[in-house]
Amino acid sequence: MSPTEPLADELWALVDWHRQRCEPYRRLLELFHPSPPADRGLSELPWLPVSLFKSHRLLSVPEEQVFRELSSSGTQGPPSRIVLDRATASAQTQALSRSLRALLGPARLPMLIVDRESILRPQGGVTARTAGVLGMMTFGRDHLFLLDEQEQPRLPELHAWLARHGGAPFFAFGFTGLVWQGLRAAAELDLARGGPGPDLSQGILLHGGGWKRLIAQAVDRDSFRQTLGRLTGLTRIHDFYGMVEQIGTVYLEGPDGLLHPSPYGELIIRDPITLRPCPEGQPGLVQALSVLPRSYPGHSLLTEDIGSWHRADTPRGRAWRIHGRLPRAEARGCSDTLVSRPTATSSGAGAPP
Amino acid sequence: MTTLTLLGPGEPGPCSAPALIAALQAAPAGSPFSPERLALAEDLSQSLLAHPQARTVPELVALAFFLRRSALQRLQQEFQALHTPETLLVPRGLAFHIPPTNVDTIAVYAWALSMLVGNHDLVRLSSRSSPLGELLLAVLLPVLDRAPAGLRSSLAFVRYGHEEQLTATFSAGCDLRIVWGSDETVRSVRAAPVPPSATELVFFDRWSFCLLSTAAWRALDPPGRQRLAEGLFNDAWPFGQQGCASPRMLVWVGEGALACGQELGRALVEVLDARGWQPDASQVSATTAFAWACALDLPVQEIQHLHPGLWLIGLGPVEQLPRSHPGGGLLFQLRLNRLQELLPLVQRKDQTMTCFGFDSDELRGLAAGLGSRCPDRMLPVGQALSFHRYWDGHDLLAALSRRVHLPVPA
């Protein structure tokens, strides 16, 4: 690892913090790390599989201090449950604010949200999409929700809003798939009606979330940027990486197209089979570190995302690329889906003796 | 528009379910272990071993061994031995096979036994297919085409999706229905009635474990330990450890189980390393997540992740065995002082108990103590996945036949 690991001490202190306050966490450390490592570096930090927050409600504060509970809108399996107290919620908001100011400047900008307004009133628990929109809204003003309830562009409202705010820098935000769909639909609809297409050239677009839908349509990063640029004039387009389990710790896309470090966190890329740290450029599982979570032990999580690290002009000389998610393990066996595959054995698996 | 496809024998293509059933029912009656039926099975065996790809796949080699000439002769003798002076076995008629969703060797084992005892067979393969299933079909279909016309006309391999109407038509026309699948699948198939005269064999969702004596383990020399580890590997690692018969737990009986488990763990690592075993990344992730959740949900005493494809999870005393499992080389370890302690833990769901270090009397005593909850198979380590005429509590040779009572010969 790099000789300077400014976050390592803070993160190891968090390990102790949670060990003392979260009984399940203490038990996990005892079982999986019976002997603590001699070196307290970043890559030695114990992690939890992020899926543990789907099956278990882990908290490091007394129940009465729970201030908010987030649940992610996971497309796979049950949602994650993240328990926040006031201190952690506020630390996360402040961290997000600091990260975004670097992108948006100190003033609150008018904000275009590529989503529908009803996302603020979720049915059931708070989803990552709602939490994301709500969290980001505090960094803008004069919000316009671009989409109607059918997730179709509200063109007249957009034109009216742009007439007021489109001449100076404004903030645009949305989840990657919706941004791709919503902004293109708005531009195409406008052109079809004989308009010039919406002028978003002053916009600073921040988009995050999965590329799954886009990759299925064979849309890559370059075509995403080029198409949106051509249709709307957007040039400042920034992807970000973050997760509901570590709100406030965001990795923003830099000019080099890589995701840049957060002051509050770090990513470690691990070989998906050996779980050892990967060399530069080699895709592996993302382990996400964050110094912010104190009300739940989410400071070091092994995700199911695939990423790689690359040399870059950043404090630790690293930046990342996220490639997608590990495919689900296929259920096999006699019960319904007996898919077998040739094993690596030469003698008979199942051969009679 | 028909969604039913005939794969073989004969020209593959769309076909009509009522016509197919009628043709199979009209085919000439078969007799058990007739020369042409034996020849068909042997042809499949030889074709598998001669096929450049199939012969490299352990599951297909095992199938070929099951059907080789000497094994068929033994099977025929065993079948003859089922006859008694006052009974005779005859075929049941048309068997309708519903194998697990993806075609696999297990479906072909069951079909082969049914064909050998003289039944007509309709085998339904699902529209989802695996590379192994396709390879097996590629070898099997030409073998079927080479069979004599009479026999050929009594067999059909078809493919269709979830069309309940087709399942209903075939069920209504069969004399024996053989269903493999999850409890869910079994329930949905049972919605389609079979005729009053028909019977049904059901192979439902099962769970398996391995019983080991610490004294016997300690008495083994290093090569013996290595052989046992190899056997356990052959039982647990194929099929992603998700076969019904794949052991998911090691139950140690006797003193010093903790040390025995550690020694066996090291021996397993050697086997995995020697074979260059590489689990797949998604499986590792699923198994890892499961192991961590286990630590919070079960009375886990120690966890050893000895290899990317091997987790050993030691449990303290439990009132029931954990029966959810992700596959991927995860073995629970349970430590008992006496064999008697196993009695309350075994359930009807438990299929295979591979054993090491227990003699036949001990196992018979255990079976007597367990009664109706007794596992269907109590076999030496290394034989978990070996198909046999005795499967899931049935003697397939007998179950696929009908027994006729007649006067004792003079």
Side-chain angles (χ1 to χ4, degrees), chain A residues 98-105 171 204-206 238 252-253:
Chain A
R98 198 180 132 187
S99 300
L100 291 186
R101 270 205 300 273
L103 192 71
L104 302 172
F171 178 25
I204 305 166
L205 172 65
L206 186 63
H238 299 268
L252 298 173
E253 187 180 15

Side-chain angles (χ1 to χ4, degrees), chain A residues 278-295:
Chain A
C278 284
E280 181 188 2
Q282 184 186 310
L285 285 180
V286 175
Q287 178 191 353
L289 307 175
S290 168
V291 297
L292 300 174
R294 298 181 89 82
S295 55

Side-chain angles (χ1 to χ4, degrees), chain A residues 23-34 46-52 55-58 271-276 285 302-306 325-353, chain B residues 57-59 62 65-66 100-104 106 109 128 130-132 180-182 185 205 233-234 238-240 242-245 275-286 288-289 291-293 295-303 305 308 311 383 385-387:
Chain A
E23 169 55 25
Y25 185 71
R26 187 198 61 73
R27 175 165 165 77
L28 290 167
L29 287 192
E30 204 173 270
L31 282 167
F32 286 89
H33 301 277
W47 41 258
L48 301 186
V50 72
S51 63
L52 211 57
S55 52
H56 295 80
R57 183 170 176 271
L58 302 172
D271 182 287
I273 291 171
T274 64
L275 302 181
R276 284 198 274 274
L285 285 180
L302 188 67
T303 72
E304 287 165 16
D305 296 324
I306 300 286
R325 182 164 293 192
L326 195 65
R328 284 238 118 170
E330 215 187 314
R332 283 192 302 258
C334 299
S335 57
D336 240 359
T337 50
L338 189 55
V339 186
S340 90
R341 55 180 179 177
T343 60
T345 60
S346 51
S347 80
Chain B
V57 180
E59 288 89 333
F65 263 66
F66 185 80
T101 305
N102 285 301
V103 66
D104 193 65
I106 201 137
Y109 282 105
R128 288 172 57 192
S130 68
L132 175 60
W180 304 78
S182 65
T185 306
D205 211 357
F233 175 87
N234 286 335
F239 302 104
Q242 292 182 48
C244 284
R275 306 207 180 195
W277 181 261
Q278 273 281 32
D280 101 339
S282 300
Q283 182 67 63
V284 170
S285 178
T288 302
W292 283 75
L296 297 182
D297 297 337
L298 297 172
V300 171
Q301 289 184 337
E302 86 285 330
I303 293 186
H305 188 194
W311 290 86
Q383 293 185 25
L385 302 180
S386 310
F387 195 81

Side-chain angles (χ1 to χ4, degrees), chain A residues 202-224:
Chain A
Q202 292 293 315
I204 305 166
L205 172 65
L206 186 63
H207 67 95
W211 281 78
K212 201 168 165 184
R213 251 198 291 177
L214 278 73
I215 288 166
Q217 299 168 41
V219 178
D220 64 8
R221 200 166 293 273
D222 285 342
S223 56
F224 181 85

